[in-house]
């Protein structure tokens, strides 16, 4: 029943949809908009400060030992996915509403998730320690690589500026490093208050989604979006996920990985982080574009949960 429950949208996904609807109907306008933006900046900094405080140095050291697995996860996350995203953007941008094709590319440049990668690896009977290390390393690297790759792929179209990358460093990397350096003093306190830190994480994302979808409504994004766009986005998301799942599974067997390591690679290499993607998008892109850009990510997020829940159950039954 626990696995079956993963097939339904979780409360956070429902909250995301409700926030997007509320922002579309009642966006932040006038004097409220800059105030909301300042609150978002502070909440994002706090989010990554707490993530840094939660990251164990022992996990980093332990993870370095299993370098072959981590290199495979890295290749899937930051090489395979970007290539697929660039091809998708190139061939489908003329069929999608403005910003959607960029959103698909942006989705493919994001780091892996932490929580769901570890959860599904555990359910499937995989190498949980390796999943913790790979997913954590992916998120840390993503702070650097996502804006750099986005700038590289979009440089001919006036894409991500050096200023935007600098804002990433100030708003995300600096708080993350500060939190990790403070871990000896606050790490235990943070670990014992996971409910509070979870509220901060989800609250920051919901604030960004509200601001982004409000700006999209003000700029009439939804009048440009056809039902066919959502259908195409769904098909593209399913195709991207299926391709990466098949390739990571075949690669793990080709390189002789054990079944627990295969499970860790498949689940860590196929995920994209909503928690990192939404805050980074709020810094990299103009407010009027964020709604269209994070929509593919929100859709992919739910699809990856549904598909990987079924896959984790399949692995678990075969290992029983």
């Amino acid at each position: 029943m626990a696995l079956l429950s993963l097939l339904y949208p979780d409360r956070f996904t429902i909250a995301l949809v409700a926030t997007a609807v509320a922002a579309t109907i009642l966006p932040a306008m006038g004097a409220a908009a800059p105030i909301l933006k300042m609150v978002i900046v502070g909440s994002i900094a706090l989010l990554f400060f707490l993530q840094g405080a939660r990251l164990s140095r022992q996990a980093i050291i332990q993870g370095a030992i299993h370098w072959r697995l981590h290199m495979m996860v890295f290749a899937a996350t930051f090489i395979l996915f970007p290539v697929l995203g660039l091809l998708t953007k190139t061939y489908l941008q003329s069929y999608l509403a403005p910003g959607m094709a960029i959103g698909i590319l942006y989705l493919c440049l994001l780091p892996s998730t932490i929580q769901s990668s570890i959860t599904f690896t555990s359910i499937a009977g995989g190498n949980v320690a390796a999943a913790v290390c790979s997913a954590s390393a992916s998120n840390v690297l993503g702070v650097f690589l996502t804006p750099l790759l986005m700038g590289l792929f979009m440089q001919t179209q006036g894409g991500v500026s050096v200023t935007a990358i600098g804002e990433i460093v100030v708003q995300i990397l600096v708080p993350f490093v500060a939190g990790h350096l403070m871990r000896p003093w606050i790490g235990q306190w943070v670990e014992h208050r996971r409910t509070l830190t979870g509220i901060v994480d989800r609250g920051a994302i919901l604030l960004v989604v509200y601001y982004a979808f409000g700006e999209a409504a003000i700029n009439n994004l939804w009048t440009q979006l056809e039902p066919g766009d959502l259908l195409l986005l769904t098909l593209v998301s399913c195709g991207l996920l299926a391709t990466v799942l098949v390739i990571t599974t075949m690669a793990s067997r080709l390189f002789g990985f054990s079944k627990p390591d295969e499970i860790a690679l498949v689940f860590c290499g196929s995920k994209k982080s909503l928690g990192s993607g939404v805050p980074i998008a709020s810094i990299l892109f103009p407010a009027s574009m964020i709604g269209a850009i994070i929509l593919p990510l929100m859709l992919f997020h739910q699809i990856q949960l549904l598909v990987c829940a079924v896959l984790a159950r399949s692995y678990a039954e075969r290992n029983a």
Side-chain angles (χ1 to χ4, degrees):
M1 291 299 294
L3 281 169
L4 187 61
S5 67
L6 292 172
L7 294 174
Y8 299 96
D10 58 14
R11 285 182 294 180
F12 183 54
T13 300
I14 294 172
L16 281 171
V17 174
T19 300
V21 172
T24 302
I25 298 172
L26 191 64
M29 303 177 67
I35 294 174
L36 177 60
K37 182 64 175 176
M38 287 189 292
V39 173
I40 289 172
V41 170
S43 65
I44 291 172
L46 180 59
L47 182 158
F48 281 93
F49 177 84
L50 293 174
Q51 283 193 2
R54 286 199 298 256
L55 182 62
S56 168
R57 201 161 301 174
Q58 181 181 0
I60 299 175
I61 296 172
Q62 183 182 5
I65 300 173
H66 211 338
W67 63 270
R68 289 177 68 243
L69 175 60
H70 303 321
M71 289 297 293
M72 292 292 288
V73 172
F74 175 89
T77 303
F78 294 114
I79 298 177
L80 175 59
F81 254 119
V83 169
L84 294 175
L86 189 60
L87 291 174
T88 302
K89 175 184 176 297
T90 300
Y91 290 104
L92 293 182
Q93 59 185 350
S94 60
Y95 299 99
L96 291 167
M100 294 293 180
I102 298 176
I104 292 172
L105 175 60
Y106 175 68
L107 153 71
C108 292
L109 301 182
L110 288 171
S112 179
T113 63
I114 295 179
Q115 183 175 357
S116 63
S117 294
I118 296 169
T119 300
F120 287 127
T121 299
S122 176
I123 291 172
N127 188 336
V128 175
V132 171
C133 300
S134 286
S136 300
S138 175
N139 267 253
V140 174
L141 290 171
V143 175
F144 297 99
L145 291 180
T146 296
L148 288 175
L149 288 172
M150 199 70 204
L152 175 65
F153 288 139
M154 297 296 294
Q155 61 183 351
T156 58
Q157 303 177 34
V160 182
S161 66
V162 174
T163 301
I165 296 175
E167 290 181 4
I168 285 281
V169 172
V170 172
Q171 295 185 34
I172 293 181
L173 183 59
V174 171
F176 183 91
V177 172
H180 188 64
L181 292 176
M182 291 288 291
R183 180 176 169 80
W185 296 278
I186 67 172
Q188 190 172 13
W189 185 90
V190 171
E191 287 293 334
H192 291 163
R193 288 164 177 80
R194 287 188 172 271
T195 300
L196 176 61
T197 55
I199 291 173
V200 172
D201 291 353
R202 288 163 174 76
I205 295 171
L206 290 175
L207 284 172
V208 173
V209 169
Y210 178 83
Y211 183 75
F213 276 77
E215 288 293 321
I218 292 171
N219 289 278
N220 299 315
L221 169 66
W222 310 124
T223 62
Q224 307 170 34
L225 185 63
E226 301 290 339
D229 289 319
L230 287 176
L231 176 60
L232 183 56
L233 280 178
T234 301
L235 293 175
V236 167
S237 296
C238 292
L240 287 171
L241 182 59
T243 300
V244 175
L245 287 172
V246 169
I247 291 177
T248 51
T249 301
M250 293 175 61
S252 67
R253 296 174 183 177
L254 178 65
F255 286 94
F257 284 1
S258 66
K259 184 60 67 174
D261 287 347
E262 174 189 318
I263 292 170
L265 170 59
V266 167
F267 287 116
C268 292
S270 63
K271 299 289 187 305
K272 289 298 176 179
S273 174
L274 184 72
S276 296
V278 174
I280 292 174
S282 72
I283 301 170
L284 285 180
F285 303 103
S288 59
M289 294 179 60
I290 297 174
I293 286 172
I294 67 172
L295 183 60
L297 174 58
M298 292 175 64
L299 184 62
F300 186 87
H301 171 76
Q302 185 60 33
I303 291 173
Q304 72 181 7
L305 291 179
L306 295 173
V307 172
C308 289
V310 175
L311 187 59
R313 179 175 59 189
S314 174
Y315 272 120
E317 290 175 348
R318 280 181 281 171
N319 292 337

